[in-house]
Amino acid sequence: MRSVSIQELEEHTAELVAEVEAGNRLTLIRGGKTVAEIVPPATVAPIWESEEQRLNAIEEFMNILHKGYDLGGFKITDRDALYDRD
């Protein structure tokens, strides 16, 4: 991780952003103290390998919802039951 001053960031913004895009992390320094870190975004892998897996997960979730979910004596079967205060 490379440290850069705020002044250097102001003077070389495009080059420093290119470094971050390449996967490098930068630490911003002001008055000898770290004030921020600039890091590349985290890469998130898809949860499902295929559209079929995604649709199956949705179907399984909907089946659970239709059966209701027991919260220890109070069974939630739909949104209205969740918010019923009687």
Side-chain angles (χ1 to χ4, degrees), residues 57-70:
I58 291 170
E59 182 178 358
E60 183 179 337
F61 178 71
M62 293 306 291
N63 287 337
I64 291 170
L65 286 179
H66 290 299
K67 288 183 208 172
Y69 194 81
D70 186 358

Side-chain angles (χ1 to χ4, degrees), residues 11-32:
E11 294 172 0
H12 303 284
T13 303
E15 294 92 347
L16 294 171
V17 169
E19 282 188 39
V20 174
E21 285 178 326
N24 298 317
R25 299 168 62 107
L26 299 176
T27 300
L28 294 181
I29 305 295
R30 181 182 2 214

Side-chain angles (χ1 to χ4, degrees), residues 38-57:
I38 302 175
V39 298
T43 304
V44 179
I47 296 171
W48 301 282
E49 297 292 325
S50 68
E51 181 69 6
E52 181 182 0
Q53 285 180 336
R54 185 182 76 81
L55 293 174
N56 287 341

Side-chain angles (χ1 to χ4, degrees), residues 1-5 25-29 34-38:
M1 184 173 348
R2 186 160 87 90
S3 296
V4 297
S5 68
R25 299 168 62 107
L26 299 176
T27 300
L28 294 181
I29 305 295
T34 299
V35 295
E37 291 183 358
I38 302 175

